Amino acid sequence: MKMIIGLGNPGKQYEMTRHNVGFHVIDELAKQMDAPAMQLKFNGAYTIIHRPEGKVMLVKPLTYMNLSGECVAPLMDYYDIHPDEIVVIYDDLDLAPGKLRLRQKGSAGGHNGMKSLIAHLGTDTFNRIRIGVGRPTGGMKVSDYVLSSFSKEEQPLLDEMVKKSASACLDWLKSPFLDVMNHYNKA
């Protein structure tokens, strides 16, 4: 089974924030895959889809961003999923809005959700899709910025990145992540 994890924060007040782009990709994949309703267990919402390529689990940790590993690690243990079989989707301040980067390993880069995952999984070697949200300007605090909504001008870029990220995940179900990474990072 492969697991696709979108990072974000639960609750209406966070729904449209920059920090929740991972949740948006999971929603897009659930729609495209005609996924069954999400179950609430393991401090998260998840569903399992049976596809010709095999089973796929879509996951939204509901622990709040900083504790994402508390949801993902127990799910991986319960379903016996190896870190090679996951992809994590999250917002990245170091990429401009509209940019997408795929990686197979790396540090948390200051992202608290990724710090939690790396700590709970005991490795930084797992697939990831970083979605650019840009950096704050005008002295805005990073925490306020990631919990703010995209501007009207940025919204089309977000929509495009959500669809592109979902496409990359679907491609990963059929091809090695390295091939998918090389294809999407060229664009």
Side-chain angles (χ1 to χ4, degrees):
M1 181 177 342
K2 290 188 174 181
M3 179 188 278
I4 303 170
I5 304 135
L7 300 187
N9 284 314
K12 276 276 187 223
Q13 71 270 34
Y14 300 112
E15 206 169 274
M16 298 310 293
T17 66
R18 296 169 194 278
H19 233 6
N20 275 33
V21 294
F23 278 14
H24 292 287
V25 176
I26 295 299
D27 293 341
E28 178 66 24
L29 283 165
K31 187 172 79 176
Q32 288 187 28
M33 297 166 120
D34 197 24
M38 292 269 186
Q39 301 177 52
L40 298 175
K41 287 184 185 172
F42 297 98
N43 292 314
Y46 73 96
T47 187
I48 298 173
I49 303 121
H50 298 269
R51 297 184 47 91
E53 305 92 352
K55 291 185 210 172
V56 181
M57 181 186 297
L58 303 178
V59 181
K60 289 181 181 179
L62 300 179
T63 54
Y64 289 96
M65 184 65 78
N66 298 355
L67 304 173
S68 297
E70 292 179 11
C71 164
V72 176
L75 261 173
M76 288 175 66
D77 288 345
Y78 185 82
Y79 285 98
D80 196 26
I81 298 171
H82 189 271
D84 290 347
E85 297 301 318
I86 71 169
V87 66
V88 179
I89 306 153
Y90 63 101
D91 60 298
D92 192 309
L93 291 165
D94 292 326
L95 293 173
K99 296 289 181 194
L100 186 74
R101 284 290 170 264
L102 283 67
R103 296 280 182 258
Q104 290 185 298
K105 65 179 183 173
S107 73
H111 193 285
N112 289 330
M114 291 301 288
K115 284 180 188 173
S116 176
L117 280 171
I118 290 167
H120 282 83
L121 301 183
T123 183
D124 66 357
T125 304
F126 53 86
N127 305 318
R128 54 197 76 190
I129 298 175
R130 299 164 38 213
I131 299 175
V133 297
R135 286 211 165 262
T137 57
M140 185 180 215
K141 287 177 20 184
V142 168
S143 56
D144 292 338
Y145 179 73
V146 295
L147 296 177
S148 69
S149 297
F150 287 89
S151 68
K152 249 192 256 191
E153 297 77 33
E154 293 170 325
Q155 194 62 45
L157 294 174
L158 167 68
D159 297 341
E160 181 186 334
M161 288 302 95
V162 166
K163 288 190 183 331
K164 218 176 197 181
S165 298
S167 292
C169 290
L170 293 171
D171 289 349
W172 173 58
L173 301 180
K174 299 177 222 143
S175 304
F177 191 82
L178 183 61
D179 295 347
V180 176
M181 183 176 85
N182 289 335
H183 173 76
Y184 283 86
N185 285 351
K186 275 188 215 169

